[in-house]
Amino acid sequence: MAQDYDLILASSSPRRRDYLEKMGVRFVVMKPDADETILVGESPREYVARMAAVKAQIIADMHPNDVVLAADTIVVCHDIIIGKPTSREDAKRILRLLSGRTHEVMSAVCIIKGEVEHNFTVTTEVTFAPLSEELIATYVASGECDDKSGAYAVQGIASMFIEKVSGSVSAVVGLPICQVREALAEFGIMPRTVAAQG
């Protein structure tokens, strides 16, 4: 019986699922149980790349004959990793930190099949306009900040905060889709719309 999927997505992120669906890639989702503790002396770039690789390897160990794609995205301000807010008050603190500043969003991707492994990290600069306390409070009350790295969603209401994005917008959302498309081609996986034309 033919396999009805092209790859395993080692992530439960709805944003990553949406990008792969739009690209026409057939996939199944398996969420890895990974320890996300930052190691002593580990830089943000080292951390995000390691997390993507660890998550991919966990699933690849269980499914060695399948292509596994994992990704990890972090927000970095002044070389400090800004995680997901622990509360609405913490979300306000994070947004005050990002207000009027340029920060980085790093998205690392790891794709594995057997002994073949492809890793890359895409960094995008995001510049926020100055945010008033009233605007921050209104945004946080919307709930969009919940469970989001950096306490915002670039594709959502928070787009009104953003003066400039330098780099991949999809990487800020959680998956640098142009680079992913190019990498998947090396594993013989093409968007169905493109493959149909070939």
Side-chain angles (χ1 to χ4, degrees):
M1 182 176 175
Q3 182 172 283
D4 61 356
Y5 59 89
D6 300 315
L7 61 82
I8 299 172
L9 174 62
S11 170
S12 60
S13 164
R15 276 81 59 189
R16 294 182 183 127
R17 291 201 304 266
D18 186 51
Y19 273 129
L20 289 179
E21 286 169 357
K22 287 178 179 175
M23 201 167 78
V25 173
R26 302 173 305 167
F27 62 95
V28 293
V29 173
M30 296 185 185
K31 184 179 179 181
D33 184 15
D35 179 358
E36 301 193 26
T37 304
I38 302 171
L39 301 179
V40 176
E42 192 171 36
S43 71
R45 189 178 182 87
E46 290 168 339
Y47 169 75
V48 73
R50 180 175 64 84
M51 280 294 95
V54 165
K55 291 173 181 179
Q57 193 63 60
I58 288 171
I59 302 301
D61 286 344
M62 295 186 285
H63 300 272
N65 297 319
D66 290 323
V67 176
V68 177
L69 185 155
D72 199 69
T73 301
I74 57 172
V75 173
V76 181
C77 189
H78 301 305
D79 291 323
I80 297 171
I81 297 173
I82 309 298
K84 297 176 181 179
T86 57
S87 65
R88 293 282 173 89
E89 283 305 310
D90 191 42
K92 292 177 182 178
R93 176 192 65 81
I94 291 170
L95 291 168
R96 290 185 197 108
L97 177 65
L98 301 181
S99 172
R101 294 189 175 95
T102 297
H103 62 273
E104 295 179 320
V105 179
M106 298 181 184
S107 277
V109 176
C110 179
I111 306 172
I112 299 177
K113 182 178 182 181
E115 298 299 315
V116 180
E117 183 173 334
H118 191 116
N119 300 277
F120 58 92
T121 301
V122 175
T123 300
T124 303
E125 291 188 344
V126 180
T127 301
F128 266 33
L131 307 178
S132 67
E133 282 296 315
E134 181 181 6
L135 188 56
I136 288 172
T138 300
Y139 177 67
V140 169
S142 77
E144 184 179 88
C145 62
D146 298 348
D147 200 40
K148 302 287 194 310
S149 293
Y152 75 94
V154 68
Q155 75 279 20
I157 302 166
S159 59
M160 66 181 176
F161 300 163
I162 297 169
E163 288 185 343
K164 184 173 66 173
V165 176
S166 180
S168 169
V169 175
S170 67
V172 179
V173 177
L175 195 67
I177 199 63
C178 179
Q179 293 85 346
V180 165
R181 175 187 55 78
E182 293 169 348
L184 287 178
E186 298 179 21
F187 290 83
I189 299 173
M190 298 287 288
R192 280 182 300 204
T193 49
V194 175
Q197 293 172 1

